[in-house]
Amino acid sequence: IMMAAVLGKGTTIIRNAAKEPEITDLQNMLNKMGAKVRGAGTPVIKIEGVTELHGTEYTPIPDRIVAGTLMTAVGIAGGEIEIENVVPEHIAAITSKLVKSSCKVRAFCDRIVISSNLRTKAVDIETSPYPAFPTDMQAQLFALCTIANGTSVIVENVFENRYRHAAELGRMGASFTQKDRTAIIRGVDKLTGARVKAWDLRGGAAMLLAGLAAEGETIIDHAELIDRGYDKLHETLNALGAQIIRKEN
């Protein structure tokens, strides 16, 4: 709606707008191109239509879900990594849950250092719009909870049918009960490698992370779905010590 309205005649008002940082980022880029948008990051966005836009150079903000996924990988597999080019306040809700799960996190201006050398603890998660815990990190934290010490409860408030990864993780030995929007996950001592299927982007990422902790070999079919949200995630994880082989169909 924002992109359509910038060249529309008159004033457009968007109410109950999403407040994610990506919305503000889009506003900033459009304004740099000559648009007149204000209010992004709040529930009301106002757009004054202009006759044309012009070219510009713009660097998008760092991807907070990529950062959160890499942080969760540490929680699952252990070790320590430093993530550069990150906005710590954008991932505060993710960081909070990982700290509660026993990860150690140090945040700086544009980087984060996260480490874990203990079995993670169970955490409860409830997804909601920004700045609450993001639905796009639910599957990855689900994977973490499968091997956490204790019982975790996840409530998915944003999207329906976003637990398709649960059954696949069950093939790897995860123990859970899921009904409607709520999943109760009982942490197990270990996962076992299995052949699983990625039904969507974040679910595929969750199984990739679970494979890091599983004993034996994990094969993920339809792994190309992961590429929708990550640039060569397997290469990044391999550089950190993982052993992932990507095979094209």
Side-chain angles (χ1 to χ4, degrees), residues 84-233:
E84 298 179 339
N85 190 31
V86 63
V87 183
E89 54 265 36
H90 289 174
I91 55 174
I94 303 169
T95 300
S96 174
K97 295 300 180 182
L98 290 171
V99 169
K100 288 182 179 179
S101 76
S102 77
C103 294
K104 295 181 180 179
V105 179
R106 288 176 288 153
F108 302 91
C109 179
D110 60 351
R111 60 191 176 94
I112 280 181
V113 177
I114 180 170
S115 62
S116 177
N117 56 12
L118 300 171
R119 183 182 179 187
T120 53
K121 299 177 183 177
V123 291
D124 294 339
I125 297 164
E126 187 167 350
T127 67
S128 289
Y130 186 85
F133 191 87
T135 182
D136 280 346
M137 281 298 303
Q138 181 257 106
Q140 298 91 311
L141 264 291
F142 192 114
L144 176 70
C145 291
T146 62
I147 56 170
N149 186 22
T151 300
S152 304
V153 178
I154 296 179
V155 180
E156 173 57 63
N157 291 315
V158 180
F159 288 119
E160 296 180 2
N161 195 28
R162 201 160 201 189
Y163 284 119
R164 300 187 77 176
H165 51 275
E168 302 300 320
L169 291 170
R171 297 176 186 271
M172 303 174 69
S175 176
F176 66 93
T177 302
Q178 184 254 318
K179 183 177 181 181
D180 299 327
R181 295 180 179 270
T182 301
I184 300 173
I185 307 161
R186 295 166 288 278
V188 297
D189 291 334
K190 66 177 182 179
L191 297 175
T192 303
R195 187 160 196 151
V196 294
K197 180 179 180 179
W199 291 96
D200 53 54
L201 160 60
R202 305 305 176 186
M207 282 174 270
L208 186 62
L209 298 187
L212 299 177
E215 291 188 358
E217 183 179 80
T218 298
I219 300 175
I220 305 173
D221 292 324
H222 296 295
E224 68 276 3
L225 291 175
I226 301 173
D227 297 335
R228 291 182 53 240
Y230 303 91
D231 181 26
K232 300 181 178 63
L233 179 59

Side-chain angles (χ1 to χ4, degrees), residues 35-46:
K36 296 180 180 180
V37 184
R38 65 183 188 276
T42 75
V44 180
I45 300 175
K46 294 183 179 181

